[in-house]
Amino acid sequence: MGEDTGALDGTASRVGATGGRGGGSGAPAGEREEQEMLRALPFLASLPPALEALVVRLFQPRAFEFGETVFSAGDQPDGMYLVVQGTVRVLVDHDGEEVTLARLGPGEWFGDQARVQSLHRFLRTHAAFEEMSLQAATAMFRLLEPVTVTKGEIVVAEGAPGGSMYFVEDGRLEASRQDGSQRHVVGFLRTGDIFGERSLVTGEARVATVRALGDTRLLTLDKAGFEALARSFPGF
C-alpha cells in the first residue's frame, strides 16, 4: 500500500504511475482512509475480525514517482497492491506501440486477484456479459486455458462446429468469410477482443474463419467450462 501504486492485468506488459509525488495528486491519504480502503476489499469482508486486522497490518506503504514503472510483464509477483492515492496506467505493447488497457485510481487493487477484477471489468463491456458478477468472473478465470498460435495459424474455421470461446490476450487476428472461390476479410481482432461466444452459447457453426496475423496469445473457455459456469451462476 502506498501513496501511488500500480495495477497488474493478465495482459499487461507494463504498469506505470501517472500521478505520484510531485504529480499534483494532493496530500497523502491518511491512515484512517487507508484502513477503510483495505477493509473494503471484497475478499476481506468474509474474514473474522481478528484475521481481517492481521491481514490489514501486513500491508506496507510504497510510493512511486510520476512515470515510474511499477513492474513489467514477466516480473516475479511480489505481493498485492492497493492504490490509495494518484492514478496508474496498465499498458500493453502492440506492434511496438504502448496501448493503455486501464487507468486505476484510489480503492482499486491488484495482484493475483486483480487479474480477476480486470477480467470482470473487461467482460462487462461486452453485451453478452454485462450482468456478470465478480464471483462468476472469479470462477471463469480458473477455467480459462492459455493458447498460443503462430502467424497464419487458423484458430477457428468457418462452418466448423462451435466449441470454445476465445479472449485475445495479446496479438492480432483476421476474420474472413468464404464466398464461392473468394475469401473476404470481415474484420480484425486485437488485444481485449472476444470471439466464438455466439457458437459456444447457441451451438451453431462458426460464421467466420479466424486466422492469426502474428504470434498471438489467447485464453479459451471450452463448452464444459461454460456449462459448469451456467449451472453454478444462473443467468450467466
Side-chain angles (χ1 to χ4, degrees), residues 119 122-129 132 140 164-169 173 188-198 200 210 218-219 221:
L119 173 67
F122 160 67
L123 285 170
R124 292 189 65 185
T125 66
H126 294 263
F129 301 103
M132 176 180 276
M140 175 187 277
S164 299
M165 64 179 291
Y166 298 86
F167 304 85
V168 184
E169 187 175 25
L173 306 98
F188 296 93
L189 300 159
R190 59 182 294 175
T191 301
D193 285 332
I194 297 175
F195 63 96
E197 72 277 13
R198 179 176 173 181
L200 176 62
V210 177
L218 305 168
L219 295 171
L221 177 70

Side-chain angles (χ1 to χ4, degrees), residues 117-203:
Q117 189 183 43
S118 297
L119 173 67
H120 181 232
R121 182 169 52 239
F122 160 67
L123 285 170
R124 292 189 65 185
T125 66
H126 294 263
F129 301 103
E130 61 185 0
E131 300 300 325
M132 176 180 276
S133 67
L134 181 58
Q135 290 78 11
T138 300
M140 175 187 277
F141 181 78
R142 299 186 183 117
L143 296 172
L144 295 176
E145 294 291 338
V147 175
T148 300
V149 293
T150 57
K151 182 178 181 180
E153 188 172 347
I154 292 176
V155 182
V156 300
E158 182 179 4
S164 299
M165 64 179 291
Y166 298 86
F167 304 85
V168 184
E169 187 175 25
D170 184 46
R172 195 161 180 262
L173 306 98
E174 170 194 272
S176 64
R177 291 178 180 166
Q178 201 71 25
D179 182 10
S181 60
Q182 299 294 314
R183 184 173 68 90
H184 300 284
V185 175
V186 295
F188 296 93
L189 300 159
R190 59 182 294 175
T191 301
D193 285 332
I194 297 175
F195 63 96
E197 72 277 13
R198 179 176 173 181
S199 293
L200 176 62
V201 174
T202 66

Side-chain angles (χ1 to χ4, degrees), residues 92-105:
V92 65
D93 181 85
H94 183 75
D95 295 336
E97 296 184 4
E98 287 189 336
V99 177
T100 299
L101 294 180
R103 292 180 183 272
L104 305 173

Side-chain angles (χ1 to χ4, degrees), residues 4 18-26 64-67 85-87:
D4 291 297
T18 60
R21 274 186 253 170
S25 54
F64 299 90
E65 300 292 341
F66 179 87
Q85 181 191 9
T87 58

Side-chain angles (χ1 to χ4, degrees), residues 27 53 55 63 67 75 78-79 86 89 112 152 155 163 165 173 175 179 208 226:
V55 173
D75 289 352
D78 63 352
R89 286 196 301 161
D112 287 343
V155 182
M165 64 179 291
L173 306 98
D179 182 10
F226 174 80

